[in-house]
């Protein structure tokens, strides 16, 4: 996984947390939901990247 992907995923997660917090503070349910959605998407992307990394590690171990 590239460093750029990690940074983008983290940025999306942080942005989602901020939106959710602002939504909580202002009683804006739409913003809360959008923040939660952004965080879930970031976690999903990160999980996918972790699976790719694990598969690459297995492949590398098998070719040694």
């Amino acid at each position: 996984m590239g460093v750029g992907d990690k940074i983008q995923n983290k940025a999306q997660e942080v942005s989602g947390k901020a939106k959710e917090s602002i939504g909580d503070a202002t009683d804006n349910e739409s913003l809360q939901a959008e923040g939660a959605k952004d965080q879930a998407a970031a976690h999903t992307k990160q999980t996918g990247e972790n699976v790719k990394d694990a598969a690459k590690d297995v492949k590398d171990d098998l070719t040694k």
Side-chain angles (χ1 to χ4, degrees):
M1 168 167 64
V3 174
D5 292 333
K6 287 181 181 181
I7 292 170
Q8 286 178 339
N9 292 342
K10 193 61 164 174
Q12 185 176 17
E13 180 184 351
V14 169
S15 172
K17 285 181 183 179
K19 286 179 185 178
E20 189 174 24
S21 294
I22 292 168
D24 286 341
T26 60
D27 290 328
N28 184 334
E29 291 179 6
S30 176
L31 194 56
Q32 289 172 327
E34 186 178 336
K37 182 183 90 171
D38 287 350
Q39 289 178 72
H43 287 289
T44 300
K45 289 177 191 175
Q46 188 64 36
T47 300
E49 293 296 333
N50 290 342
V51 169
K52 283 195 262 183
D53 286 346
K56 183 182 179 304
D57 289 344
V58 169
K59 178 185 168 200
D60 291 345
D61 288 345
L62 292 175
T63 59
K64 287 183 181 178

